[in-house]
Amino acid sequence: MEIGNIYKGQVIDFTHEGNGVIKYDGFPIFVEDVVIGDFIEFKLVEKKKSFGIGVVSRIIVQSTDRVEYSFDTSTLGGGVPLINYKYDKQLEWKEKKVKQDLLRIGGIDVEVSKIIGMKSPFRYRNHSQIPVGEKDGKVVIGYYKAKSNDIIPIDEDYLQPEIADRIIDTVKAWVIEYDIQVYNREKELGVIKHLGIRTNENNEAMLILVTAFSKIPYKYELIHKLVKECPGVVSIYQNINQEKGKFTYGREYVHLFGQEQLRDYIGDLQFDISPDSFFQVNRLQTRVLYEIAKSFLEGKTDDVVFDIYSGIGTISLFIAKDVKKVIGIESVKSAVENAKSNSKKNNIDNVEFYLGKAEIVFPKLIGENKANKVIVDPPRKGCEREVLDAIIELSPERIVYVSCNPSTLARDIKILDRSGYEVTKVQPVDMFPHSAHCEVVCKLIRL
Ligand code: SAH
């Protein structure tokens, strides 16, 4: 194959990023914006040792599993690469991937339960960061195109509740009416950079206006307009971010209007969310995930449980009532502070949270705490080897592994499997419909 030439092929799989995979004479080519089953014409743009990159020039025969919507799906940005693949097929693909990763990477042949998807896989996000910029002299508010700084103007954001659409429209109208300078990413000029929108169960919203400078011209006009035209907006903040880097939010927040925190719920638990707090993005599926983790844990009144990678303490609090004590470990200071205040707010007093890296803190804690059960919920890179070794040393009767990355899950449970644990249940949950991500909960029992 030669770079620049045109080839034809059928998409047979997705990569873990959600790009289409074509095998051309057995050589894998990755192509964006296609779905499994499409027969396409593509141009080879890059060739590495073990794979190539293609750009689709024409879909010759569309996949029968394609789905078209009444809106332009590209406006939802690069985060939802599977959007044009039927939702039930997406679920099937995710479930199969979990099974394959466990087998290929972990060498574990275990029954994988049917993935739990969403009844309605749209408007599920409760936090989005939407870039504001200009294109051809016009204001644009919308998501970035995949791997690019190009903003695709959004009409309706089908990933967030409707109130987000009204906020976007209102801010846009204010920008135009008062001729506010939006941020130009090439020239690094202008004021308004992003809109952070957080929403809760009751369809109330917090708006975080990310600006390049501290002064916002016609600020009170904006607040007035938002209050009048978007009745659910209960809180407005400004975030000042003078950096050009990849982070949306800078360090400084200024409270402009209404409540300082947005209250949300997962099951019976209540959480007061500050503009900088971490909170699970899909509230409905988070509850589903936690219920499964809880049922796999089978908490008893004399259980002492470690919750490693505890974040703001949500899983700890969710299981606390069933057990004697929960010990959380988390490396982000503000998350531990949140976890502590969340436990107070929910009148839960049998939880403790330790700040520090799990690989350092956890091995030190196992001597003094005779815990009999462990939950781990690590970031995408999985558990550090020291954490797995300390679990094996502690030798709990049961481990519940919550994972957002089936490949590192497989790698880690292979180690536990070889050290005397048996994987007895594997339950995938779709937390991010239309993305290539998949959450999994595993139950491991000491033999
Ligand atoms: N269990 C929580 C959070 C899971 S996300 C929930 O359900 O909401 C993973 C968490 O691990 C994040 O909060 C992240 O800050 C934390 N983390 C990442 N690396 C860590 C490490 N080495 N030690 C401890 N915590 C870590």
Side-chain angles (χ1 to χ4, degrees):
M1 293 182 91
E2 299 228 358
I3 290 181
N5 281 1
I6 302 283
Y7 300 90
K8 286 177 189 161
Q10 181 133 35
V11 181
I12 54 164
D13 201 354
F14 292 118
T15 64
H16 66 271
E17 287 174 324
N19 296 328
V21 180
I22 287 171
K23 287 265 176 78
Y24 194 86
D25 283 341
F27 187 69
I29 315 287
F30 305 144
V31 186
E32 278 177 20
D33 300 326
V34 292
V35 304
I36 295 175
D38 283 342
F39 185 72
I40 66 164
E41 188 180 81
F42 64 95
K43 184 176 177 176
L44 188 72
V45 294
E46 235 184 288
K47 200 175 162 193
K48 299 256 165 72
K49 218 170 168 185
S50 57
F51 67 93
I53 307 267
V55 171
V56 59
S57 44
R58 190 160 67 96
I59 296 176
I60 303 167
V61 185
Q62 288 205 347
S63 167
T64 51
D65 296 322
R66 247 183 190 275
V67 52
E68 299 299 333
Y69 293 99
S70 57
F71 62 97
D72 177 3
T73 50
S74 73
T75 61
L76 300 183
V80 285
L82 308 193
I83 187 133
N84 290 108
Y85 197 45
K86 282 180 184 162
Y87 187 55
D88 58 339
K89 299 301 280 185
Q90 292 180 26
L91 292 175
E92 225 173 75
W93 177 78
K94 290 184 185 190
E95 190 181 305
K96 204 172 93 197
K97 183 168 190 313
V98 171
K99 175 108 188 137
Q100 272 174 0
D101 283 353
L102 289 181
L103 194 60
R104 283 187 200 158
I105 304 169
I108 294 165
D109 190 6
V110 59
E111 191 188 318
V112 173
S113 305
K114 192 168 170 49
I115 185 169
I116 303 175
M118 295 193 79
K119 279 205 191 83
S120 164
F122 285 98
R123 300 208 183 266
Y124 60 82
R125 288 190 68 98
N126 52 32
H127 185 188
S128 285
Q129 298 157 18
I130 305 160
V132 181
E134 57 178 13
K135 200 174 184 181
D136 309 324
K138 282 200 175 139
V139 183
V140 282
I141 303 182
Y143 293 101
Y144 289 127
K145 215 171 134 188
K147 295 182 198 126
S148 133
N149 262 347
D150 254 13
I151 301 170
I152 311 164
I154 196 155
D155 185 20
E156 282 186 72
D157 184 349
Y158 288 95
L159 299 179
Q160 292 199 86
E162 276 95 349
I163 187 167
D165 296 332
R166 285 205 299 281
I167 295 174
I168 294 170
D169 287 347
T170 307
V171 173
K172 195 167 175 183
W174 166 77
V175 166
I176 294 169
E177 186 175 345
Y178 295 96
D179 202 13
I180 309 291
Q181 292 302 298
V182 293
Y183 195 65
N184 180 315
R185 282 163 178 78
E186 272 149 34
K187 296 184 190 144
E188 291 164 12
L189 286 173
V191 189
I192 312 295
K193 293 176 106 174
H194 269 90
L195 306 183
I197 301 176
R198 306 185 78 138
T199 48
N200 68 8
E201 193 178 76
N202 301 325
N203 266 315
E204 292 170 333
M206 172 188 277
L207 168 67
I208 307 154
L209 198 67
V210 185
T211 62
F213 307 102
S214 51
K215 186 172 161 36
I216 309 174
Y218 299 98
K219 178 165 75 182
Y220 295 103
E221 284 76 359
L222 173 65
I223 297 171
H224 184 75
K225 218 174 168 62
L226 282 163
V227 171
K228 203 169 112 211
E229 285 166 36
C230 313
V233 174
V234 294
S235 171
I236 306 175
Y237 274 88
Q238 174 185 11
N239 173 274
I240 303 160
N241 187 2
Q242 293 172 333
E243 309 284 321
K244 291 157 208 130
K246 60 177 177 158
F247 295 108
T248 303
Y249 297 128
R251 284 215 188 105
E252 193 184 342
Y253 287 89
V254 184
H255 180 237
L256 299 181
F257 166 81
Q259 295 167 201
E260 288 188 14
Q261 292 174 317
L262 190 66
R263 177 158 292 183
D264 209 354
Y265 299 85
I266 295 179
D268 298 336
L269 296 171
Q270 97 191 14
F271 297 93
D272 286 328
I273 300 157
S274 305
D276 59 345
S277 301
F278 169 84
F279 193 64
Q280 292 281 357
V281 163
N282 184 336
R283 178 190 318 108
L284 281 176
Q285 291 301 85
T286 296
R287 168 140 199 211
V288 170
L289 189 82
Y290 290 177
E291 291 288 2
I292 293 159
K294 189 168 156 171
S295 76
F296 284 4
L297 188 81
E298 276 183 85
K300 305 262 169 8
T301 46
D302 53 356
D303 281 346
V304 176
V305 185
F306 272 109
D307 175 15
I308 312 177
Y309 311 95
S310 50
I312 57 164
T314 26
I315 297 183
S316 300
L317 300 181
F318 206 76
I319 58 156
K321 280 193 203 108
D322 297 351
V323 302
K324 188 170 162 201
K325 185 173 159 190
V326 189
I327 306 151
I329 304 170
E330 162 63 44
S331 63
V332 172
K333 192 166 175 226
S334 60
V336 171
E337 284 163 6
N338 269 305
K340 288 181 180 167
S341 65
N342 288 334
S343 27
K344 275 209 193 92
K345 210 165 292 156
N346 289 287
N347 298 317
I348 295 173
D349 56 12
N350 59 337
V351 292
E352 277 172 18
F353 293 98
Y354 287 87
L355 172 65
K357 287 194 181 300
E359 59 275 31
I360 296 168
V361 175
F362 177 56
K364 287 187 192 152
L365 289 175
I366 55 174
E368 7 180 316
N369 296 278
K370 287 288 158 237
N372 59 327
K373 291 181 182 173
V374 167
I375 298 175
V376 286
D377 182 10
R380 287 187 63 75
K381 68 177 180 358
C383 294
E384 288 75 15
R385 184 63 209 230
E386 295 89 334
V387 171
L388 296 173
D389 288 343
I391 294 178
I392 293 162
E393 196 186 324
L394 176 71
S395 187
E397 67 198 59
R398 190 176 285 234
I399 305 165
V400 177
Y401 194 133
V402 182
S403 160
C404 53
N405 184 351
S407 347
T408 53
L409 167 77
R411 180 200 68 197
D412 290 351
I413 61 175
K414 180 180 184 180
I415 294 168
L416 296 169
D417 178 81
R418 289 188 175 168
S419 307
Y421 284 89
E422 188 192 356
V423 181
T424 58
K425 281 247 155 86
V426 180
Q427 177 63 67
V429 177
D430 189 26
M431 292 276 267
F432 303 105
H434 319 300
S435 79
H437 294 289
C438 183
E439 211 85 8
V440 190
V441 194
C442 275
K443 174 155 95 176
L444 293 103
I445 303 283
R446 191 182 58 208
L447 290 174

